[in-house]
Amino acid sequence: MTQNPKFVILLGPPAAGKGTQATRLSEHLNLPHVASGDLFRYNLKNETELGLQAKAYMDRGALVPDDITIAMVLDRLSRPDCAAGALLDGFPRTLAQAAALDKALAEKGVAINGVLNIIVPDEVLVERVTGRRLCRTCGEPYHIKFNPPKVAGICDKDGGELYQRDDDNETTVQNRLKVYWEQTSPLIGYYQNTGVLVDIDGNQDIDAVTEALKAAVINL
Ligand code: ADP
Ligand code: AMP
Ligand code: ZN
């Protein structure tokens, strides 16, 4: 029997651990990991028109305009591998994006199954951002202190080189947190109203957060 498609959202402030958990949870749920930030970085690396449009916003920690972001993510969700659903990370980030996603899913006769709201205090997030390193090859996030690779500077999974994102600095992170509280946190109430929100304590070690997430998705 084919299962109904499943759409799950990882919601949370910058550096809450969405990407770290998405790698594990997408395997667990057998759903593709769709991260808007990764899609923008891929376009930036390949110097596409979309990447060039997004760059100025990303550099200062602002949101890329809704029309550009919505078109990019809905295009990704229309690919065959998302027929069974997707694990969304970093999207939606505004009420307009959430409404556009609901509309696109409703047109397919489906809806969001769950929104996992990862909660971490702002002061913890700053240290997570500044110590973050990413693999150039697979995008896997590491942290120099909290989640170091086995060999410094090298990805455990594929030997790729680790790098620091241009926007992972103390100045930009303050702006990203402000943007989160002003533009993204209203989504908490939005999804609470539809009964799909589950709060997850993200201020515990990585494995404990994974266990909490796995417990939360059992009934989705
Ligand atoms: P997001 O995708 O939400 O921006 P990441 O998954 O990239 O966040 O995590 C941000 C940084 O914090 C990374 O350096 C990651 O290794 C680290 N990190 C993630 N989860 C935890 C955790 N539970 N405890 C400590 N550090 C964490
Ligand atoms: P992230 O990798 O999720 O931290 O995103 C990095 C940057 O990409 C953000 O600071 C924004 O500039 C941009 N971005 C990612 N997702 C979105 C989104 N849903 N809406 C608008 N901008 C986004
Ligand atoms: Zn890698």
Side-chain angles (χ1 to χ4, degrees), residues 3-216:
Q3 291 219 310
N4 288 330
K6 205 173 272 180
F7 289 89
V8 179
I9 295 172
L10 287 172
L11 186 65
K18 302 182 295 295
T20 303
Q21 298 299 334
T23 308
R24 298 162 169 224
L25 207 58
S26 76
E27 237 169 72
H28 181 74
L29 292 169
N30 198 20
L31 290 176
H33 172 202
V34 173
S36 43
D38 289 350
L39 294 174
F40 281 129
R41 278 185 291 280
Y42 176 82
N43 277 280
L44 208 55
K45 193 169 125 190
N46 291 290
E47 296 180 355
T48 68
E49 180 65 34
L50 176 66
L52 294 174
Q53 282 176 317
K55 186 178 181 342
Y57 299 97
M58 295 172 77
D59 282 348
R60 62 173 199 274
L63 293 184
V64 179
D66 282 336
D67 52 347
I68 299 177
T69 307
I70 291 166
M72 175 184 73
V73 175
L74 293 188
D75 174 67
R76 174 70 188 88
L77 292 177
S78 71
R79 305 248 184 95
D81 66 324
C82 293
L87 179 63
L88 286 155
D89 158 9
F91 180 92
R93 259 182 160 91
T94 64
L95 288 168
Q97 291 177 15
L101 177 62
D102 279 350
K103 183 165 169 276
L105 294 182
E107 281 164 9
K108 291 197 263 187
V110 294
I112 303 291
N113 298 79
V115 177
L116 308 167
N117 178 35
I118 306 182
I119 300 169
V120 181
D122 282 11
E123 56 277 15
V124 175
L125 296 171
V126 174
E127 199 183 357
R128 285 196 188 176
V129 164
T130 51
R132 171 159 55 192
R133 301 292 184 270
L134 296 175
C135 173
R136 271 197 207 285
T137 311
C138 71
E140 180 71 9
Y142 292 85
H143 192 283
I144 50 172
K145 189 158 132 194
F146 305 133
N147 186 26
K150 292 193 180 80
V151 180
I154 305 287
C155 176
D156 292 349
K157 296 192 165 176
D158 53 24
E161 180 201 9
L162 303 189
Y163 76 101
Q164 185 167 26
R165 275 167 52 173
D166 288 342
D167 58 344
D168 275 353
N169 57 68
E170 199 133 350
T171 319
T172 310
V173 72
Q174 295 304 343
N175 198 37
R176 284 154 68 196
L177 286 172
K178 188 165 169 276
V179 165
Y180 167 79
W181 285 111
E182 286 174 3
Q183 300 191 56
T184 306
S185 67
L187 295 184
I188 297 171
Y190 179 86
Y191 288 120
Q192 239 159 12
N193 286 340
T194 51
V196 289
L197 193 86
V198 184
D199 283 341
I200 303 288
D201 177 7
N203 194 19
Q204 19 173 10
D205 71 50
I206 293 174
D207 289 341
V209 179
T210 306
E211 288 317 305
L213 289 167
K214 284 183 178 171

